[in-house]
């Protein structure tokens, strides 16, 4: 699992559990989030997101470009 922190304060736990998505993988991902929050008690649990796969964060320049072209 990889841990990323977004500019707006979210913690993203991402990775590729082996196998097809099923109840076991969902349970593992839920446990990962619970464990992360447990060892980091100062982090707001509502700001922790688990992603099954790769997380690619936009750069600040890309986000600024979206604001100005919208």
């Amino acid at each position: 699992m990889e841990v990323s922190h977004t500019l707006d304060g979210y913690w993203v736990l991402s990775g590729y559990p082996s196998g097809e998505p099923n109840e076991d993988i969902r349970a593992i991902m839920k446990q990962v989030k619970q464990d992360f929050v447990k060892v980091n008690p100062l982090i707001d649990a509502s700001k922790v997101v688990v992603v099954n796969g790769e997380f690619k964060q936009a750069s600040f320049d890309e986000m600024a470009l979206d604001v100005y072209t919208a």
Side-chain angles (χ1 to χ4, degrees):
M1 301 289 306
E2 291 184 23
V3 178
S4 302
H5 190 252
T6 65
L7 295 174
D8 55 353
Y10 283 87
W11 292 89
V12 181
L13 312 176
S14 60
Y16 291 99
S18 59
E20 292 294 317
N22 59 35
E23 293 302 317
D24 292 337
I25 291 175
R26 288 185 190 96
I28 291 168
M29 300 296 266
K30 182 178 179 180
Q31 187 64 49
V32 166
K33 178 179 178 177
Q34 290 173 348
D35 291 346
F36 182 79
V37 171
K38 185 176 181 179
V39 298
N40 297 288
L42 299 178
I43 293 176
D44 180 1
S46 68
K47 293 280 191 171
V48 178
V49 180
V50 179
V51 177
N52 181 11
E54 186 176 355
F55 173 72
K56 293 191 176 191
Q57 182 171 328
S59 70
F60 182 74
D61 292 337
E62 291 171 328
M63 291 189 317
L65 182 59
D66 288 342
V67 171
Y68 293 119
T69 59

